[in-house]
C-alpha cells in the first residue's frame, strides 16, 4: 500500500482524507499484515488508481480485468480530441500489424507528436515496418477497483521521421525510450487515418466481488 501511495507522491494524510478514513487507520493498514474489510480497501484502491489485488501486492503477474463487471456500466464513445487527451502523456501501448505468419501485436513505449503516435524500435524487428505499411496502435487503462477504463485505437501507415526538428521535438518531450534497452534507434511514426475510442464507467456501486 505504501508503495502505491508513494508512486503517486501522495502523503498519508491526503490519501486518508480522499478515502474517507482516519490517518491512524491508514497507517494501520500500511503496517499490518492483516486483511481488512473490502469496503475501505475498495475506497483506498479507487483513490490510488489501482486494483484491490495490486494494493495488497497480489496478482502482479496476471492480466488485469478479472474482477466482476460494475452493477451499472455505461459505455461511451470517445471523440478524437478525447482519444488524443488519453494518449497525450505517452506510456506503453501495442502496435498491431501483419507479418508473414499472421497478425502480431507487440508492446512499445510511445509518445504523441503533432497528432500522431511515435515509438522507437530496432531495424528488422517485428514492429519496424517499411514506410507506407498499414498498421494500428492500441492503448488502454483499466481500473479494476471501479470496474472502469478506456481504450483508444489509432489506425494509419508507418513513416520514418527525419531531420533535427523532429528529433528535438521528441527529446524535449521525453523521447520514447524502450524498456527493452538501447540499440533501438529507428523512429516510427504512425500517420493517422483514424482514431477511435471507448470508455466504460459506472453510475452505481461496483458489483460484489
Amino acid at each position: 500500500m505504501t508503495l502505491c501511495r508513494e508512486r503517486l507522491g501522495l502523503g498519508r494524510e491526503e490519501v486518508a482524507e480522499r478515502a474517507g478514513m482516519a490517518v491512524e487507520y491508514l497507517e494501520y493498514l500500511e503496517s499490518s499484515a492483516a486483511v481488512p474489510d473490502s469496503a475501505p480497501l475498495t475506497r483506498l484502491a479507487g483513490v490510488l488508481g489501482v486494483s484491490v489485488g495490486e494494493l495488497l501486492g497480489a496478482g502482479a503477474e496476471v492480466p488485469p480485468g478479472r474482477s466482476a463487471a460494475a452493477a451499472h456500466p455505461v459505455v461511451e464513445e470517445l471523440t478524437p480530441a478525447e482519444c488524443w487527451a488519453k494518449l497525450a502523456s505517452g506510456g506503453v501501448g501495442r502496435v498491431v500489424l501483419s507479418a508473414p505468419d499472421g497478425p502480431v501485436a507487440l508492446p512499445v513505449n510511445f509518445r504523441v507528436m503533432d497528432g500522431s503516435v511515435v515509438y522507437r524500435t530496432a531495424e528488422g524487428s517485428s514492429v519496424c515496418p517499411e514506410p507506407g505499411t498499414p498498421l494500428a496502435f492500441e492503448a488502454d487503462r483499466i481500473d479494476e477497483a471501479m470496474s472502469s477504463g478506456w481504450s483508444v485505437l489509432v489506425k494509419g501507415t508507418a513513416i520514418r521521421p527525419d531531420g533535427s526538428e523532429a528529433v528535438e521535438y521528441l527529446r524535449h518531450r521525453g523521447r520514447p525510450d524502450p524498456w527493452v534497452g538501447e540499440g533501438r534507434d529507428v523512429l516510427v511514426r504512425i500517420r493517422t487515418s483514424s482514431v477511435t475510442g471507448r470508455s466504460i464507467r459506472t453510475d452505481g456501486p461496483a458489483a460484489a466481488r
Side-chain angles (χ1 to χ4, degrees):
M1 294 183 191
T2 304
L3 181 59
C4 292
R5 173 173 60 79
E6 291 178 345
R7 281 175 179 169
L8 297 174
L10 299 175
R12 188 175 287 153
E13 292 79 7
E14 184 177 0
V15 171
E17 181 179 356
R18 293 185 185 182
M21 62 180 60
V23 177
E24 293 78 11
Y25 184 56
L26 177 56
E27 183 177 5
Y28 163 75
L29 293 180
E30 292 184 341
S31 60
S32 173
V35 178
D37 294 338
S38 61
L41 274 182
T42 300
R43 293 201 309 272
L44 190 55
V47 168
L48 297 175
V50 298
S51 69
V52 172
E54 289 173 315
L55 193 64
L56 296 174
E61 299 298 324
V62 298
R66 295 175 301 135
S67 58
H72 305 284
V74 177
V75 179
E76 298 176 324
E77 298 293 327
L78 299 175
T79 66
E82 290 172 330
C83 290
W84 288 117
K86 299 289 188 187
L87 301 178
S89 62
V92 175
R94 285 157 293 281
V95 171
V96 183
L97 41 74
S98 296
D101 57 349
V104 295
L106 295 171
V108 296
N109 296 78
F110 76 95
R111 293 290 185 273
V112 171
M113 174 182 173
D114 293 340
S116 59
V117 170
V118 182
Y119 64 92
R120 278 175 57 203
T121 186
E123 193 72 60
S125 76
S126 298
V127 289
C128 187
E130 292 296 323
T133 301
L135 73 167
F137 171 85
E138 191 273 340
D140 53 48
R141 170 75 168 87
I142 297 174
D143 183 343
E144 288 200 76
M146 302 302 292
S147 297
S148 63
W150 55 264
S151 175
V152 170
L153 178 66
V154 177
K155 295 180 181 179
T157 54
I159 60 176
R160 302 278 183 91
D162 54 14
S164 59
E165 185 176 346
V167 172
E168 283 300 311
Y169 184 97
L170 292 169
R171 180 177 294 121
H172 287 301
R173 284 158 178 77
R175 65 180 187 169
D177 292 325
W179 282 2
V180 290
E182 295 301 320
R184 288 162 174 79
D185 299 319
V186 178
L187 281 174
V188 178
R189 179 177 177 181
I190 302 175
R191 178 183 283 133
T192 305
S193 59
S194 70
V195 55
T196 56
R198 298 198 307 170
S199 68
I200 183 168
R201 58 179 176 82
T202 177
D203 279 343
R209 287 160 170 75

